[in-house]
Amino acid sequence: MKKAVFWKCMIVLFVALSLSSAISCFMISRILMENTEEHMQYVLSFWDASLDMDKDLQEQVEALPQVVNNEKARFTIIGLDGTVYADSEVEDISRMYDHSDRIEVQEALEGENGVAVRKSDTLDISMLYVTHYSKNHQLILRVAIPFIGLGVYVKLLLPSILVSFIISTLVAISLAARFAKTVALPLKEISREIQKIQEASPKFDYKEYPYPELNIIAETTANMSKEIQSAIQKLEKEKTIRQEFFSNASHELKTPLTSVRGYIELMESGIVTDEAQKEEFFKRIKKETENMTHLINDILMVSRLETKEAEVVFSEVRMYPLLQDVLTSFETMAKNMNITIKIDCKPVCIYANLHQIQELLNNLIGNAIKYNHPGGMVKIKMEEYQKKLYISVADTGVGIPKESLDRIFERFYRVDKGRNKKIGGTGLGLSIVKHIVQFYNGEIQVKSVVGKGSVFEVWLPINRE
């Protein structure tokens, strides 16, 4: 890359130097030509002042090249009607044509200093003509010198231009090499830092560079590296959660299947003959199959909420009647544990799926009752707040340890595995709650003190966008 930057800089500089040299050459040549024209006008003014009309004009004209020290200069005296009276290069004036149509003559007649470049019909060479209108003698005085174009000045300037060009090129090479180095070196350093991403915990050390664009690259790569590391950590965490999920799911399904198989084998062996005991075994088998059904349904619900594959029917859900239905299903459990339930529910509706909201309330209220102390209390509050449905379920139960608060929404995570086995459940309740809240782009918070109870707060948008 350093070579590429160097050569591209050299090409740009070479083109710039070439153009500047050409423009400078043209401008200097033009200035020199203008100086030549001014000098010729000065000669004509001098000639006008020294011209003696009483003497032979031809002799005076022929002497002028020596006077001005330029043997190549040609002097001509022309009348106002275009007649040539004298010419330093032509002895026989009679063979010279009428000059009234010459551009420089016409410009002089108009009161201006005439200038023209053309091929001389008499000498058959290209000449630069400059004319002057003599008011004293009512004549047009003309001087001409051989002129082959601006190239004559270019030849004079070429050596100095070449020297300047070579010096400028050497300076340009030095500057291009330094510039290429200042660009390539930071990019190499940035590349080295990027390679650190392969390390387990990379620490990036980007310098402050003189070019803002390179600093942007360094900043961007650092941010991207952080994002990639974060994504990798997230993938690793998800991998661990997946492994735990399959392990827990297998265990949760294996336990009831083992119980069912044990009851069936006992009855097949003929050991159990009492009909009452057989009926008890059938009830237990039915209960275990119901537990498996609940577990599989919960797993499917979590999966659908995560992938958002299932078609969800939305409708206006009135929260107070739905809360009454949910509490009715927990009435027996609450009475058995002597749990007092207090309700503070304002009339509020939410545009959502009835089954999902019912499942959310079932899990929050069910946990508040199951993990409460006998004679405890559950407080339920619902209201509309800033165009959101606010749900609060507080209990006076066992509480959740601080170190477990970050994990309670994981699938199959249990704070107290021994207690959970006695209480029952699939271990997916709070995971379902979290996925439902996320499905509606809502929020959920937990506050808990061990031995004093927990408070679950949920915010869901009233209207689905």
Side-chain angles (χ1 to χ4, degrees):
M1 180 182 175
K2 185 178 178 181
K3 287 183 179 179
V5 172
F6 172 78
W7 284 112
K8 284 180 180 178
C9 288
M10 284 302 303
I11 290 169
V12 172
L13 290 170
F14 178 79
V15 172
L17 286 171
S18 300
L19 287 173
S20 62
S21 298
I23 292 169
S24 299
C25 187
F26 175 79
M27 294 301 295
I28 294 171
S29 299
R30 187 67 194 171
I31 292 168
L32 288 173
M33 184 175 176
E34 289 175 358
N35 289 338
T36 302
E37 291 174 6
E38 288 178 8
H39 177 70
M40 291 170 74
Q41 286 290 347
Y42 173 77
V43 170
L44 288 173
S45 299
F46 171 77
W47 181 20
D48 184 18
S50 62
L51 182 64
D52 188 351
M53 296 298 293
D54 294 330
K55 293 181 180 181
D56 189 298
L57 294 177
Q58 185 65 28
E59 288 180 1
Q60 292 183 68
V61 167
E62 290 177 353
L64 279 172
Q66 294 179 352
V67 173
V68 298
N69 197 25
N70 188 346
E71 294 294 332
K72 293 182 180 180
R74 179 187 177 187
F75 294 87
T76 310
I77 299 175
I78 306 168
L80 298 181
D81 59 353
T83 303
V84 178
Y85 294 129
D87 191 286
S88 62
E89 295 291 332
V90 181
E91 294 181 1
D92 186 6
I93 301 301
S94 61
R95 68 185 182 91
M96 294 188 69
Y97 300 106
D98 180 9
H99 278 45
S100 61
D101 61 342
R102 301 294 195 268
I103 295 172
E104 69 275 11
V105 174
Q106 292 176 358
E107 289 178 354
L109 288 171
E110 291 174 0
E112 300 177 1
N113 294 324
V115 179
V117 177
R118 68 169 186 280
K119 189 176 183 181
S120 171
D121 294 333
T122 307
L123 303 178
D124 197 30
I125 60 173
S126 181
M127 303 285 285
L128 170 63
Y129 295 95
V130 177
T131 56
H132 171 73
Y133 175 60
S134 174
K135 294 180 181 179
N136 297 329
H137 307 294
Q138 293 297 302
L139 294 171
I140 294 173
L141 305 179
R142 186 179 73 177
V143 62
I145 59 173
F147 184 76
I148 57 174
L150 294 175
V152 66
Y153 300 113
V154 173
K155 288 180 182 178
L156 295 172
L157 295 169
L158 191 58
S160 58
I161 289 174
L162 282 174
V163 171
S164 300
F165 184 83
I166 291 169
I167 293 172
S168 300
T169 302
L170 292 173
V171 172
I173 290 171
S174 174
L175 292 174
R178 290 184 66 183
F179 176 72
K181 186 178 179 181
T182 58
V183 173
L185 184 62
L187 290 175
K188 282 183 180 179
E189 291 176 353
I190 292 170
S191 176
R192 271 199 303 270
E193 292 299 316
I194 291 173
Q195 288 175 358
K196 289 182 180 179
I197 198 170
Q198 298 174 1
E199 300 174 7
S201 299
K203 292 183 179 179
F204 300 101
D205 182 24
Y206 290 106
K207 298 178 182 176
E208 188 73 22
Y209 299 109
Y211 305 106
E213 294 80 5
L214 294 176
N215 290 324
I216 290 171
I217 293 172
E219 240 177 74
T220 305
T221 51
N223 292 335
M224 286 176 63
S225 301
K226 289 177 183 177
E227 289 175 6
I228 291 169
Q229 286 297 319
S230 177
I232 291 171
Q233 290 173 1
K234 187 177 179 182
L235 287 172
E236 290 294 330
K237 186 178 179 181
E238 288 179 355
K239 181 182 176 182
T240 304
I241 291 171
R242 253 195 325 270
Q243 289 173 343
E244 289 180 358
F245 167 73
F246 287 122
S247 175
N248 291 330
S250 301
H251 177 74
E252 295 294 332
L253 287 169
K254 186 178 179 182
T255 302
L257 285 173
T258 303
S259 299
V260 169
R261 182 178 177 180
Y263 291 137
I264 291 172
E265 286 177 351
L266 282 172
M267 288 188 289
E268 283 180 341
S269 65
I271 296 175
V272 180
T273 57
D274 183 48
E275 290 300 323
Q277 195 172 9
K278 284 182 180 182
E279 187 177 347
E280 179 63 25
F281 281 3
F282 282 126
K283 285 181 181 178
R284 290 181 182 179
I285 290 171
K286 184 180 179 182
K287 185 178 179 181
E288 294 294 347
T289 55
E290 285 175 352
N291 289 339
M292 281 192 293
T293 302
H294 289 317
L295 176 62
I296 292 168
N297 286 337
D298 285 351
I299 292 172
L300 289 174
M301 175 171 277
V302 171
S303 177
R304 291 192 190 102
L305 288 168
E306 283 182 341
T307 59
K308 297 184 179 180
E309 290 179 352
E311 290 187 9
V312 179
V313 178
F314 295 93
S315 62
E316 290 289 339
V317 179
R318 296 170 62 206
M319 294 306 299
Y320 184 75
L322 177 60
L323 177 60
Q324 291 296 331
D325 290 342
V326 171
L327 291 175
T328 300
S329 64
F330 288 106
E331 191 175 347
T332 303
M333 183 188 297
K335 283 183 179 178
N336 290 338
M337 295 183 65
N338 194 26
I339 301 294
T340 303
I341 299 176
K342 290 187 176 182
I343 302 173
D344 180 8
C345 183
K346 304 290 190 301
V348 58
C349 290
I350 182 173
Y351 188 70
N353 177 262
L354 176 63
H355 177 66
Q356 289 179 345
I357 303 302
Q358 185 176 16
E359 191 70 24
L360 184 144
L361 293 176
N362 274 332
N363 284 296
L364 290 178
I365 296 171
N367 284 348
I369 295 172
K370 285 189 289 185
Y371 295 100
N372 214 323
H373 296 296
M377 181 180 293
V378 174
K379 293 180 181 179
I380 303 168
K381 184 177 182 179
M382 288 188 193
E383 63 180 355
E384 182 178 342
Y385 178 74
Q386 295 182 348
K387 295 184 179 180
K388 290 183 178 181
L389 170 63
Y390 171 72
I391 302 172
S392 171
V393 178
D395 64 64
T396 56
V398 295
I400 303 166
K402 189 176 180 180
E403 61 272 14
S404 296
L405 286 174
D406 292 335
R407 300 197 61 190
I408 57 173
F409 295 106
E410 293 178 12
R411 289 168 289 194
F412 297 112
Y413 181 78
R414 299 178 187 274
V415 176
D416 185 348
K417 294 183 179 180
R419 182 181 177 86
N420 279 298
K421 286 292 180 183
K422 294 176 183 177
I423 293 173
T426 62
L428 292 170
L430 288 179
S431 180
I432 290 171
V433 169
K434 182 196 75 171
H435 282 88
I436 291 172
V437 171
Q438 289 178 344
F439 183 82
Y440 288 93
N441 296 319
E443 297 176 46
I444 185 167
Q445 289 183 359
V446 186
K447 298 173 186 176
S448 186
V449 178
V450 175
K452 292 186 177 181
S454 306
V455 180
F456 285 80
E457 295 177 299
V458 175
W459 291 267
L460 298 176
I462 292 290
N463 297 309
R464 183 172 174 81
E465 296 179 356

